[in-house]
Structure formats: C-alpha cells, structure tokens
Amino acid sequence: MEYQIKAASISNKDATIQIKQSEIAFGTTAESAQVLPNPAELFLGAFASCMLKNVERFSRMMKFTYSKAEVNVTATRIEKPLKMDQINYDLIIYSTDENLNISLLKKNIEKFGTIYNTVELSSTINGVVSQNKMF
C-alpha cells in the first residue's frame, strides 16, 4: 500500500498539507505558533488518528459497540538527539457493551496500528485504554 500527500508553504507565511479532498493548515511562523498546529502536533495527531481508526476497525472484528472514543496524547521532546522520546496516551472508549474486551483491544491496537508501530521503533510509548460506561 502506498500513500501520497502534498505540502506547500510560502515564505514568511504558513503552510498547508493536501490529503485527498482535505487541506490542513499548519504553522511555520512565530506569528501562528499559538493558533495553528506545528509539525510535532501533526505527528501526534497522526498517532492518535491511527488509534481511533483501529478502534473502529476492531469494534467490527471484536463485535462490540461504542458511542464515542477519544484519545489524549502527550509527548516529550528531547534535545540530544533531537526526537520525540516519550509518548503517553489515554484512550477512552465510551460503551456499555459487555463484549468490549479492553485488554484485547489495547493489544490489537499496539500490534496492528501502522502509525503506532512506526512510532514505536523510535520512541517509548506508554498508554492506558479504558471503558467509560457513563456518557
């Protein structure tokens, strides 16, 4: 499977990524640092997106229903060598379904997530998956 995106920036302005029919603006200047996502945040967004896509995928395979899933991701950047070193996530599945096997879901996400596995090669990942029956 192959992927393709296009990104462009204008000098002293911000940039965009074009993916299929979507355009995502991101910051490249100091003026937009508090408004637009930066590349590190987009990276973490891809990580979170991978997890949420796999929740949907595994809900069908594992035969459970959920109303919502949300993931909070934090990361620590180190300076030498410059990289994301520590990534922590908290994935919450809002579901009253008794068929939801949280430990198996976590195992599947960690084993079969494309972005998850790519990131895991260079960063330490720690996470918690939990079920919230009250929503």
Side-chain angles (χ1 to χ4, degrees), residues 41-123:
E41 292 162 331
L42 291 173
F43 170 77
L44 296 176
F47 177 81
S49 298
C50 175
M51 295 186 78
L52 294 174
K53 179 177 175 134
N54 279 304
V55 168
E56 180 66 22
R57 183 175 126 197
F58 288 118
S59 72
R60 291 188 177 110
M61 294 171 72
M62 294 171 58
K63 299 186 184 342
F64 70 86
T65 60
Y66 69 102
S67 62
K68 179 172 95 168
E70 66 182 29
V71 61
N72 296 300
V73 180
T74 60
T76 303
R77 185 183 91 174
I78 61 172
E79 298 298 320
K80 291 187 181 180
L82 191 58
K83 70 173 196 159
M84 289 288 187
D85 183 52
Q86 184 75 35
I87 297 174
N88 300 297
Y89 70 86
D90 183 17
L91 174 62
I92 304 166
I93 311 297
Y94 293 84
S95 174
T96 57
D97 194 329
E98 298 300 322
N99 291 324
L100 175 53
N101 181 335
I102 291 293
S103 61
L104 181 58
L105 178 61
K106 184 177 192 296
K107 180 180 175 183
N108 285 338
I109 288 170
E110 292 177 353
K111 184 174 182 180
F112 298 108
T114 303
I115 304 301
Y116 187 102
N117 285 311
T118 302
V119 171
E120 188 176 45
L121 294 174
S122 63
S123 301

Side-chain angles (χ1 to χ4, degrees), residues 14-50:
D14 292 307
T16 59
I17 301 170
Q18 295 170 339
I19 305 170
K20 296 179 182 169
Q21 295 181 17
S22 296
E23 184 170 277
I24 303 165
F26 66 97
T28 59
T29 64
E31 292 77 27
S32 65
Q34 299 302 314
V35 179
L36 294 174
N38 63 42
E41 292 162 331
L42 291 173
F43 170 77
L44 296 176
F47 177 81
S49 298
C50 175

Side-chain angles (χ1 to χ4, degrees), residues 117-134:
N117 285 311
T118 302
V119 171
E120 188 176 45
L121 294 174
S122 63
S123 301
T124 301
I125 302 172
N126 295 301
V128 174
V129 179
S130 61
Q131 181 176 4
N132 185 334
K133 293 183 179 183
M134 311 270 293

